[in-house]
Amino acid sequence: MKPLGLFGGTFDPIHLGHLRMAIEVMETFELESLHLLPNKVPPHRPQPLASAEQRLAMTRLAVEAVPGLVVDERELKRPGDSYTVDTLEDVAREFPGRPLLFMMGMDSLLSFTSWHGWQRILELASLAVCCRPGHRLDSDSLDVQLSWRLGEGPVTGPGQILPITTTELAISATDIRTRAKNGQRLDFLLPKAVADYIQASGLYRADKAS
């Protein structure tokens, strides 16, 4: 049974950097599908500027023509903070026996032992750690509680930490929001349908702020 990929984030807005990483993880680990999980209330970062409904709409627009990428609304529907461990528990119940592969960046892994329920996360899923070109993840840089889990694919079960070097696209949601606020063009930063949505709705524009 092929693993199910999972990629959580605020997606405020979703952009080509997110999508490129997702596709490369799908290809590397031979996934049939990868679920994008917009957060409702991210517990460890500032809250999104766009509403849950707007971020969901943008994520749907971004993946509608990308085979294998699926928009998963479960975190938006669940009350309270969007903890990864709760999401994985829910996914594991829905897909019993299916290996789970959760995507994250190298910076997130370095702080992973501060996450809520991190031990349980590793009982439920393996981690695909996306590394920038020229940056190597080695056991010396990890907490001793994680370093022994570092390895290579394929996904054989939960608890693996699997680095993957992904194409670096120097695109940030913060920069996109700033450009949108200033009325600048968003070409080649996001899928055209998402850029059109932002511009048509006036999302992130200073004169639209509440």
Side-chain angles (χ1 to χ4, degrees):
M1 188 181 299
K2 291 192 175 182
L4 173 65
L6 301 159
F7 183 14
T10 55
F11 302 133
D12 187 26
I14 191 166
H15 55 68
L16 296 181
H18 296 131
L19 298 174
R20 186 63 225 172
M21 280 197 303
I23 288 170
E24 292 184 8
V25 167
M26 284 187 64
E27 291 178 339
T28 298
F29 297 103
E30 300 180 349
L31 309 182
E32 291 179 351
S33 62
L34 190 149
H35 289 209
L36 296 171
L37 296 144
N39 304 146
K40 182 177 183 179
V41 184
H44 299 304
R45 57 178 297 168
Q47 298 307 300
L49 295 182
S51 69
E53 293 76 14
Q54 290 169 325
R55 293 182 293 110
L56 177 60
M58 289 188 285
T59 307
R60 284 175 171 162
L61 288 169
V63 307
E64 60 185 0
V66 186
L69 295 186
V70 177
V71 180
D72 191 320
E73 303 177 35
R74 73 185 70 229
E75 291 196 354
L76 296 177
K77 293 179 177 179
R78 191 173 66 233
D81 290 346
S82 300
Y83 286 116
T84 296
V85 66
D86 296 334
T87 299
L88 292 175
E89 294 273 16
D90 193 33
V91 174
R93 285 191 293 269
E94 184 176 346
F95 300 94
R98 185 89 174 265
L100 304 180
L101 183 65
F102 185 79
M103 284 176 59
M104 65 169 57
M106 187 189 299
D107 291 344
S108 294
L109 181 65
L110 296 179
S111 63
F112 181 68
T113 54
S114 70
W115 285 31
H116 175 67
W118 68 269
Q119 296 98 330
R120 179 59 179 155
I121 290 173
L122 290 171
E123 293 173 358
L124 294 164
S126 286
L127 308 179
V129 183
C130 299
C131 305
R132 297 185 295 274
H135 291 73
R136 181 172 176 268
L137 182 62
D138 57 47
S139 58
D140 291 340
S141 62
L142 292 179
D143 188 296
V144 67
Q145 299 174 93
L146 301 177
S147 59
W148 65 273
R149 298 177 180 273
L150 192 62
E152 299 179 354
V155 181
T156 58
Q160 297 170 272
I161 296 177
L162 306 170
I164 168 178
T165 299
T166 53
T167 302
E168 184 175 15
L169 299 179
I171 301 172
S172 80
T174 301
D175 177 64
I176 291 170
R177 293 193 299 268
T178 300
R179 290 176 180 274
K181 178 180 178 180
N182 295 333
Q184 295 173 285
R185 293 177 60 171
L186 304 177
D187 307 60
F188 311 112
L189 297 172
L190 332 90
K192 185 177 185 302
V194 178
D196 289 346
Y197 175 92
I198 291 171
Q199 292 172 330
S201 64
L203 183 59
Y204 309 121
R205 287 284 297 270
D207 57 359
K208 296 286 185 179
S210 58

Coordinates of all heavy atoms in Angstrom, one line a residue, residues 9-80:
G9 N -0.2 23.8 6.4 CA 0.3 25.1 6.4 C -0.8 26.1 6.4 O -2.0 25.8 6.2
T10 N -0.5 27.4 6.6 CA -1.5 28.4 6.6 C -2.0 28.7 5.2 O -3.1 29.0 4.9 CB -1.1 29.7 7.2 OG1 0.1 30.1 6.6 CG2 -0.8 29.5 8.7
F11 N -1.0 28.5 4.2 CA -1.3 28.8 2.8 C -2.0 30.2 2.6 O -3.1 30.3 2.1 CB -2.2 27.7 2.2 CG -1.5 26.3 2.3 CD1 -2.2 25.2 2.7 CD2 -0.2 26.2 1.9 CE1 -1.6 24.0 2.8 CE2 0.4 24.9 2.0 CZ -0.3 23.8 2.5
D12 N -1.3 31.2 3.1 CA -1.8 32.6 3.2 C -0.9 33.5 2.4 O -0.3 34.5 3.0 CB -1.8 32.9 4.7 CG -2.5 34.3 5.0 OD1 -3.3 34.7 4.2 OD2 -2.1 34.9 6.0
P13 N -0.8 33.4 1.1 CA -1.5 32.4 0.2 C -0.6 31.2 -0.1 O 0.6 31.3 0.0 CB -1.8 33.3 -1.0 CG -0.6 34.1 -1.1 CD -0.2 34.5 0.3
I14 N -1.2 30.2 -0.7 CA -0.5 29.1 -1.3 C 0.2 29.6 -2.5 O -0.3 30.5 -3.3 CB -1.4 27.9 -1.7 CG1 -0.6 26.7 -2.0 CG2 -2.4 28.3 -2.7 CD1 -1.4 25.4 -2.0
H15 N 1.5 29.2 -2.8 CA 2.2 29.7 -3.9 C 3.0 28.6 -4.6 O 2.9 27.4 -4.2 CB 3.2 30.8 -3.5 CG 4.1 30.5 -2.4 ND1 5.1 29.6 -2.5 CD2 4.1 31.0 -1.1 CE1 5.8 29.5 -1.3 NE2 5.2 30.3 -0.5
L16 N 3.8 28.9 -5.6 CA 4.5 27.9 -6.4 C 5.5 27.2 -5.6 O 5.8 26.0 -5.9 CB 5.1 28.6 -7.7 CG 4.1 29.2 -8.7 CD1 4.8 29.7 -9.9 CD2 3.1 28.1 -9.1
G17 N 6.1 27.8 -4.6 CA 7.1 27.1 -3.8 C 6.5 25.9 -3.1 O 7.0 24.8 -3.0
H18 N 5.3 26.1 -2.5 CA 4.5 25.1 -1.9 C 4.3 23.9 -2.8 O 4.5 22.7 -2.5 CB 3.2 25.6 -1.3 CG 3.3 26.6 -0.2 ND1 2.5 27.8 -0.3 CD2 4.0 26.6 0.9 CE1 2.8 28.5 0.8 NE2 3.7 27.8 1.5
L19 N 3.7 24.3 -4.0 CA 3.3 23.3 -4.9 C 4.5 22.5 -5.5 O 4.4 21.3 -5.7 CB 2.5 23.9 -6.1 CG 1.2 24.6 -5.6 CD1 0.6 25.4 -6.8 CD2 0.2 23.6 -5.1
R20 N 5.6 23.2 -5.7 CA 6.8 22.5 -6.3 C 7.3 21.5 -5.3 O 7.7 20.3 -5.6 CB 7.9 23.5 -6.6 CG 9.1 22.9 -7.3 CD 8.7 22.3 -8.7 NE 9.4 21.0 -8.8 CZ 9.1 20.2 -9.9 NH1 8.2 20.6 -10.8 NH2 9.7 19.0 -10.0
M21 N 7.4 21.8 -4.0 CA 7.8 20.9 -2.9 C 6.9 19.7 -2.9 O 7.3 18.5 -2.8 CB 7.8 21.6 -1.6 CG 9.1 22.4 -1.3 SD 9.3 22.8 0.4 CE 7.8 23.6 0.8
A22 N 5.6 19.9 -2.9 CA 4.6 18.9 -2.8 C 4.8 17.9 -4.0 O 4.8 16.6 -3.8 CB 3.2 19.4 -2.8
I23 N 5.0 18.4 -5.2 CA 5.2 17.5 -6.4 C 6.4 16.7 -6.2 O 6.5 15.5 -6.5 CB 5.2 18.4 -7.7 CG1 3.7 18.9 -7.9 CG2 5.7 17.6 -8.8 CD1 3.7 19.9 -9.0
E24 N 7.5 17.3 -5.8 CA 8.8 16.6 -5.7 C 8.7 15.5 -4.6 O 9.3 14.4 -4.7 CB 9.9 17.6 -5.4 CG 10.2 18.4 -6.7 CD 11.4 19.4 -6.5 OE1 12.1 19.3 -5.6 OE2 11.5 20.2 -7.4
V25 N 8.0 15.8 -3.5 CA 7.8 14.7 -2.5 C 7.0 13.6 -3.1 O 7.3 12.4 -2.9 CB 7.1 15.3 -1.2 CG1 6.7 14.2 -0.3 CG2 8.1 16.2 -0.5
M26 N 5.9 13.9 -3.8 CA 5.1 12.9 -4.4 C 6.0 12.0 -5.4 O 5.8 10.8 -5.3 CB 4.0 13.5 -5.3 CG 2.8 14.0 -4.4 SD 1.5 14.6 -5.5 CE 1.0 13.1 -6.3
E27 N 6.8 12.6 -6.2 CA 7.6 11.9 -7.1 C 8.7 11.0 -6.4 O 8.9 9.8 -6.7 CB 8.3 12.8 -8.1 CG 7.3 13.5 -9.1 CD 8.0 14.4 -10.0 OE1 9.1 14.9 -9.7 OE2 7.4 14.7 -11.1
T28 N 9.4 11.6 -5.4 CA 10.4 10.9 -4.7 C 9.9 9.7 -4.0 O 10.6 8.6 -4.1 CB 11.1 11.9 -3.8 OG1 11.7 12.9 -4.5 CG2 12.2 11.1 -3.0
F29 N 8.8 9.8 -3.3 CA 8.3 8.7 -2.5 C 7.2 7.9 -3.2 O 6.5 7.1 -2.6 CB 7.9 9.2 -1.2 CG 9.0 9.8 -0.4 CD1 9.1 11.2 -0.3 CD2 9.9 9.0 0.3 CE1 10.2 11.7 0.5 CE2 11.0 9.5 1.0 CZ 11.1 10.9 1.1
E30 N 7.0 8.2 -4.5 CA 6.0 7.5 -5.3 C 4.6 7.4 -4.7 O 4.0 6.4 -4.6 CB 6.5 6.1 -5.6 CG 7.9 6.0 -6.4 CD 8.4 4.6 -6.6 OE1 7.8 3.7 -6.1 OE2 9.3 4.5 -7.4
L31 N 4.2 8.6 -4.3 CA 2.9 8.7 -3.7 C 1.8 8.8 -4.8 O 2.0 9.5 -5.8 CB 2.8 10.0 -2.8 CG 3.9 10.2 -1.8 CD1 3.6 11.5 -1.0 CD2 4.0 9.0 -0.9
E32 N 0.6 8.2 -4.5 CA -0.5 8.4 -5.4 C -1.2 9.7 -5.1 O -1.8 10.3 -6.0 CB -1.5 7.2 -5.2 CG -0.9 5.9 -5.7 CD -1.9 4.7 -5.5 OE1 -2.9 4.9 -4.8 OE2 -1.6 3.6 -6.0
S33 N -1.2 10.1 -3.9 CA -1.9 11.4 -3.5 C -1.2 12.1 -2.4 O -0.5 11.4 -1.5 CB -3.3 11.2 -3.2 OG -3.5 10.3 -2.1
L34 N -1.4 13.4 -2.3 CA -0.8 14.2 -1.2 C -1.9 15.2 -0.8 O -2.4 15.9 -1.7 CB 0.5 14.8 -1.6 CG 1.3 15.5 -0.5 CD1 2.8 15.5 -0.8 CD2 0.9 17.0 -0.3
H35 N -2.2 15.2 0.5 CA -3.3 16.1 1.0 C -2.7 17.4 1.5 O -1.8 17.4 2.3 CB -4.0 15.4 2.1 CG -4.9 14.3 1.7 ND1 -6.1 13.9 2.3 CD2 -4.8 13.4 0.6 CE1 -6.7 12.9 1.7 NE2 -5.9 12.6 0.7
L36 N -3.2 18.5 1.0 CA -2.9 19.8 1.5 C -3.9 20.2 2.5 O -5.1 20.2 2.3 CB -2.9 20.8 0.3 CG -1.9 20.6 -0.8 CD1 -2.2 21.5 -2.0 CD2 -0.5 20.8 -0.3
L37 N -3.3 20.6 3.7 CA -4.2 20.8 4.9 C -4.1 22.2 5.4 O -3.2 22.6 6.2 CB -3.7 19.9 6.0 CG -3.9 18.4 5.8 CD1 -2.7 17.6 6.4 CD2 -5.2 17.9 6.4
P38 N -4.9 23.1 4.9 CA -4.9 24.5 5.4 C -5.2 24.5 6.9 O -6.2 23.9 7.4 CB -6.0 25.2 4.6 CG -6.3 24.4 3.4 CD -6.0 22.9 3.9
N39 N -4.3 25.2 7.7 CA -4.5 25.3 9.1 C -5.7 26.2 9.4 O -5.9 27.2 8.8 CB -3.3 25.8 9.9 CG -2.0 25.0 9.6 OD1 -1.0 25.6 9.5 ND2 -2.1 23.7 9.4
K40 N -6.4 25.9 10.5 CA -7.4 26.9 11.0 C -6.8 27.9 12.0 O -6.8 29.1 11.8 CB -8.6 26.1 11.7 CG -9.7 27.1 12.1 CD -10.8 26.2 12.7 CE -12.0 27.2 13.1 NZ -13.1 26.4 13.7
V41 N -6.2 27.3 13.1 CA -5.6 28.1 14.1 C -4.2 27.6 14.3 O -4.0 26.7 15.2 CB -6.4 28.2 15.4 CG1 -5.8 29.1 16.4 CG2 -7.8 28.5 15.2
P42 N -3.2 28.0 13.6 CA -1.8 27.5 13.8 C -1.3 28.0 15.2 O -1.3 29.1 15.5 CB -1.0 28.2 12.7 CG -1.8 29.3 12.3 CD -3.2 29.0 12.5
P43 N -0.9 27.0 16.1 CA -0.5 27.4 17.5 C 0.8 28.0 17.6 O 1.0 28.7 18.7 CB -0.6 26.0 18.2 CG -0.3 25.0 17.1 CD -0.9 25.6 15.8
H44 N 1.7 27.9 16.7 CA 3.1 28.4 16.9 C 3.5 29.6 16.0 O 4.7 29.8 15.8 CB 4.1 27.2 16.7 CG 3.9 26.1 17.7 ND1 3.8 26.3 19.0 CD2 3.6 24.8 17.5 CE1 3.6 25.1 19.6 NE2 3.5 24.2 18.7
R45 N 2.6 30.3 15.4 CA 2.9 31.3 14.5 C 1.8 32.4 14.4 O 0.7 32.1 14.9 CB 3.2 30.8 13.1 CG 2.1 30.0 12.5 CD 2.4 29.6 11.1 NE 2.7 30.7 10.2 CZ 3.2 30.6 9.0 NH1 3.6 29.4 8.5 NH2 3.4 31.7 8.3
P46 N 2.1 33.6 13.9 CA 1.0 34.6 13.8 C -0.2 34.0 13.0 O 0.0 33.2 12.1 CB 1.7 35.7 13.1 CG 3.1 35.6 13.3 CD 3.4 34.1 13.4
Q47 N -1.4 34.5 13.3 CA -2.6 34.0 12.7 C -2.7 34.5 11.2 O -2.2 35.6 10.9 CB -3.8 34.4 13.5 CG -3.8 33.8 14.9 CD -3.7 32.3 14.8 OE1 -4.5 31.6 14.3 NE2 -2.6 31.8 15.5
P48 N -3.3 33.8 10.3 CA -3.3 34.2 8.9 C -4.1 35.5 8.8 O -5.0 35.8 9.6 CB -4.1 33.0 8.3 CG -4.0 31.9 9.2 CD -3.9 32.5 10.6
L49 N -3.8 36.2 7.7 CA -4.5 37.5 7.4 C -5.8 37.1 6.6 O -6.8 37.7 6.8 CB -3.7 38.4 6.6 CG -2.4 39.0 7.3 CD1 -1.7 40.0 6.4 CD2 -2.8 39.7 8.6
A50 N -5.7 36.2 5.7 CA -6.9 35.7 4.9 C -7.7 34.8 5.8 O -7.2 34.1 6.7 CB -6.4 35.0 3.7
S51 N -9.0 34.8 5.6 CA -9.9 34.0 6.4 C -9.8 32.5 6.0 O -9.2 32.2 4.9 CB -11.4 34.4 6.1 OG -11.8 34.1 4.8
A52 N -10.3 31.7 6.8 CA -10.3 30.2 6.5 C -10.9 30.0 5.1 O -10.4 29.2 4.3 CB -11.0 29.4 7.5
E53 N -12.0 30.6 4.8 CA -12.8 30.4 3.6 C -11.9 30.9 2.4 O -11.9 30.2 1.3 CB -14.1 31.2 3.6 CG -15.1 30.6 4.6 CD -14.8 31.0 6.0 OE1 -14.0 31.9 6.3 OE2 -15.4 30.4 6.9
Q54 N -11.2 32.0 2.5 CA -10.4 32.5 1.5 C -9.2 31.6 1.2 O -8.8 31.3 0.1 CB -9.9 33.9 1.8 CG -11.0 35.0 1.7 CD -10.6 36.3 2.3 OE1 -9.8 36.4 3.3 NE2 -11.1 37.4 1.8
R55 N -8.6 31.1 2.3 CA -7.4 30.3 2.1 C -7.8 28.9 1.5 O -7.1 28.3 0.7 CB -6.7 30.1 3.4 CG -6.0 31.4 3.9 CD -5.2 31.3 5.2 NE -6.1 31.0 6.3 CZ -6.1 29.9 7.0 NH1 -5.3 28.9 6.6 NH2 -6.9 29.7 8.0
L56 N -9.0 28.4 1.9 CA -9.5 27.2 1.3 C -9.8 27.4 -0.2 O -9.4 26.5 -1.0 CB -10.8 26.8 2.0 CG -11.5 25.5 1.5 CD1 -10.5 24.3 1.5 CD2 -12.8 25.3 2.3
A57 N -10.4 28.5 -0.5 CA -10.7 28.8 -1.9 C -9.4 28.9 -2.8 O -9.3 28.3 -3.9 CB -11.5 30.1 -2.1
M58 N -8.4 29.5 -2.2 CA -7.1 29.6 -3.0 C -6.4 28.3 -3.1 O -5.9 28.0 -4.2 CB -6.2 30.6 -2.3 CG -6.6 32.1 -2.4 SD -5.4 33.3 -1.8 CE -5.6 33.1 0.0
T59 N -6.5 27.5 -2.1 CA -5.8 26.1 -2.2 C -6.6 25.3 -3.2 O -5.9 24.6 -4.0 CB -5.8 25.5 -0.8 OG1 -5.2 26.3 0.2 CG2 -5.0 24.2 -0.8
R60 N -7.9 25.4 -3.2 CA -8.6 24.6 -4.3 C -8.3 25.1 -5.7 O -8.1 24.2 -6.6 CB -10.1 24.8 -4.0 CG -10.7 24.0 -2.8 CD -12.1 24.3 -2.6 NE -12.7 23.4 -1.6 CZ -13.9 23.7 -1.0 NH1 -14.5 24.8 -1.3 NH2 -14.4 22.8 -0.2
L61 N -8.2 26.4 -5.9 CA -7.8 26.9 -7.2 C -6.4 26.4 -7.6 O -6.2 26.1 -8.7 CB -7.9 28.4 -7.2 CG -9.3 29.1 -7.1 CD1 -9.2 30.6 -6.8 CD2 -10.0 28.8 -8.4
A62 N -5.5 26.4 -6.6 CA -4.1 26.0 -6.9 C -4.0 24.6 -7.4 O -3.1 24.3 -8.2 CB -3.3 26.3 -5.7
V63 N -4.8 23.7 -6.9 CA -4.5 22.3 -7.2 C -5.5 21.7 -8.2 O -5.4 20.5 -8.5 CB -4.6 21.4 -5.9 CG1 -3.6 22.0 -4.9 CG2 -6.0 21.3 -5.3
E64 N -6.5 22.5 -8.7 CA -7.5 21.9 -9.5 C -7.0 21.2 -10.8 O -7.6 20.3 -11.3 CB -8.6 22.9 -9.8 CG -8.1 24.1 -10.6 CD -9.2 25.2 -10.8 OE1 -10.3 24.9 -10.3 OE2 -8.9 26.2 -11.4
A65 N -5.8 21.6 -11.2 CA -5.3 21.0 -12.5 C -4.0 20.3 -12.2 O -3.2 20.0 -13.1 CB -5.0 22.1 -13.5
V66 N -3.8 19.9 -10.9 CA -2.5 19.2 -10.5 C -2.9 17.8 -10.1 O -3.4 17.6 -8.9 CB -1.7 19.9 -9.4 CG1 -0.4 19.2 -9.2 CG2 -1.5 21.4 -9.8
P67 N -2.7 16.8 -10.9 CA -3.1 15.4 -10.5 C -2.3 15.0 -9.2 O -1.1 15.2 -9.0 CB -2.6 14.5 -11.7 CG -2.5 15.5 -12.8 CD -2.1 16.8 -12.3
G68 N -3.1 14.3 -8.3 CA -2.5 13.8 -7.1 C -2.6 14.7 -5.9 O -2.5 14.2 -4.8
L69 N -2.7 16.0 -6.1 CA -2.8 16.9 -5.0 C -4.3 17.1 -4.6 O -5.1 17.4 -5.5 CB -2.2 18.3 -5.3 CG -0.7 18.3 -5.5 CD1 -0.2 19.7 -5.7 CD2 0.1 17.6 -4.4
V70 N -4.6 16.9 -3.3 CA -6.0 16.9 -2.8 C -6.1 17.9 -1.7 O -5.2 18.0 -0.8 CB -6.3 15.5 -2.2 CG1 -7.7 15.5 -1.7 CG2 -6.2 14.4 -3.3
V71 N -7.1 18.7 -1.7 CA -7.4 19.7 -0.7 C -8.2 19.0 0.5 O -9.2 18.4 0.2 CB -8.2 20.9 -1.1 CG1 -8.4 21.9 0.0 CG2 -7.4 21.6 -2.3
D72 N -7.6 19.0 1.7 CA -8.2 18.4 2.8 C -8.6 19.4 3.8 O -7.8 20.2 4.3 CB -7.2 17.4 3.4 CG -7.7 16.5 4.5 OD1 -8.6 16.9 5.3 OD2 -7.3 15.3 4.5
E73 N -9.9 19.5 4.1 CA -10.5 20.5 4.9 C -10.6 20.2 6.4 O -11.1 21.0 7.2 CB -11.9 20.9 4.5 CG -12.0 21.3 3.0 CD -13.5 21.5 2.6 OE1 -14.3 22.0 3.5 OE2 -13.8 21.2 1.5
R74 N -10.1 19.1 6.9 CA -10.4 18.6 8.2 C -9.9 19.6 9.3 O -10.6 19.7 10.3 CB -9.8 17.2 8.4 CG -8.3 17.1 8.6 CD -7.9 15.6 8.6 NE -8.1 14.9 7.4 CZ -8.7 13.8 7.2 NH1 -9.2 13.1 8.3 NH2 -8.9 13.2 6.1
E75 N -8.8 20.3 9.1 CA -8.3 21.2 10.2 C -9.2 22.4 10.2 O -9.4 23.0 11.3 CB -6.8 21.5 9.9 CG -5.9 20.4 10.2 CD -4.4 20.8 10.3 OE1 -4.1 22.0 10.2 OE2 -3.6 19.9 10.6
L76 N -9.7 22.8 9.1 CA -10.6 24.0 9.1 C -11.9 23.7 9.8 O -12.6 24.6 10.3 CB -10.8 24.5 7.7 CG -9.6 25.0 6.9 CD1 -10.0 25.4 5.5 CD2 -9.0 26.2 7.6
K77 N -12.3 22.5 9.7 CA -13.6 22.1 10.3 C -13.5 21.7 11.8 O -14.5 21.7 12.5 CB -14.2 20.8 9.6 CG -14.6 21.1 8.1 CD -15.1 19.8 7.5 CE -15.5 20.1 6.0 NZ -16.0 18.9 5.4
R78 N -12.3 21.5 12.3 CA -12.1 21.1 13.7 C -11.9 22.3 14.6 O -11.2 23.2 14.2 CB -10.9 20.2 13.8 CG -10.7 19.5 15.1 CD -9.6 18.5 15.1 NE -8.3 19.1 15.0 CZ -7.4 18.8 14.0 NH1 -7.7 17.8 13.1 NH2 -6.2 19.4 14.0
P79 N -12.6 22.4 15.7 CA -12.5 23.6 16.6 C -11.2 23.6 17.3 O -10.5 22.5 17.4 CB -13.7 23.4 17.5 CG -14.0 21.9 17.6 CD -13.7 21.5 16.2
G80 N -10.7 24.7 17.7 CA -9.5 24.8 18.4 C -8.2 24.9 17.6 O -8.3 25.0 16.4

